[in-house]
Amino acid sequence: MKKLLLLIGLLFITTSYSQKCYSVTSVENNGEIEGINPKRFTLGVKQITEEILSVKHSICENGKPVEVIILSIEAPSTGISLGPFEKKRKKTIVKVKITVDGDDYFGQGDSNTDVQSTFIELQDENLPFEKSAFSSALKKGIHEALSDF
């Protein structure tokens, strides 16, 4: 009888102190992005969010909803040219909004792409959109947003 009461007490304590379970239910993109399939984009953002969220919280199918909104994707380029030498930098900036339990969390991540050339002209004045730079900026933005959560 004592063992049964002890077992019930332990079960009650473990369930009362267990972590909340979360699930990424929606991903919305308000930014302009080219060269990435929308379905792959949604799955990638969901996977990155779950990966960062799982560090401190449990992830499950029917957990509390987490909504991710990509507010903007910016990629300004800057560069200098001095004779035959040229250097360009493209900074990818991703702003995100994550809604958990009715609370909004905002984050911004950035990533740089640098190109240097000597005696060679770049074919395109604008640097191409880099998927790895976007991914890195997205991870930084989501991590910043969820750091307060």
Side-chain angles (χ1 to χ4, degrees), residues 1-4 8 13 18 29 32 36 66-67 72 84-85 93-94 99 127 143 145-147:
M1 185 69 176
K2 288 182 182 179
K3 290 182 181 179
L4 181 61
I8 291 172
I13 289 171
S18 63
N29 181 16
E32 295 286 325
I36 297 179
V66 175
E67 299 173 359
S72 68
F85 306 103
I93 304 167
V94 179
T99 305
L127 296 176
H143 190 272
L146 291 177
S147 65

Side-chain angles (χ1 to χ4, degrees), residues 12 15 35 39 45-46 51 55 64 66-67 82 86 90-91 94 99 102 104 106 110 121 127 140 143 146 148:
F12 177 73
T15 55
K39 188 174 183 178
V45 172
K46 182 177 180 179
E51 178 184 314
V55 172
K64 292 188 175 195
V66 175
E67 299 173 359
L82 184 62
E86 186 173 8
K90 186 170 200 169
K91 185 173 187 173
V94 179
T99 305
D104 294 334
F106 294 90
D110 54 35
E121 285 187 38
L127 296 176
K140 289 177 185 176
H143 190 272
L146 291 177
D148 296 335

Side-chain angles (χ1 to χ4, degrees), residues 96-108:
V96 297
K97 173 184 165 186
I98 299 176
T99 305
V100 183
D101 292 335
D103 296 326
D104 294 334
Y105 301 93
F106 294 90
Q108 176 177 321

Side-chain angles (χ1 to χ4, degrees), residues 21-47:
C21 187
Y22 295 95
S23 175
V24 178
T25 56
S26 70
V27 175
E28 184 180 327
N29 181 16
N30 293 340
E32 295 286 325
I33 190 167
E34 295 177 11
I36 297 179
N37 181 346
K39 188 174 183 178
R40 290 187 69 201
F41 175 82
T42 301
L43 291 174
V45 172
K46 182 177 180 179
Q47 181 181 8

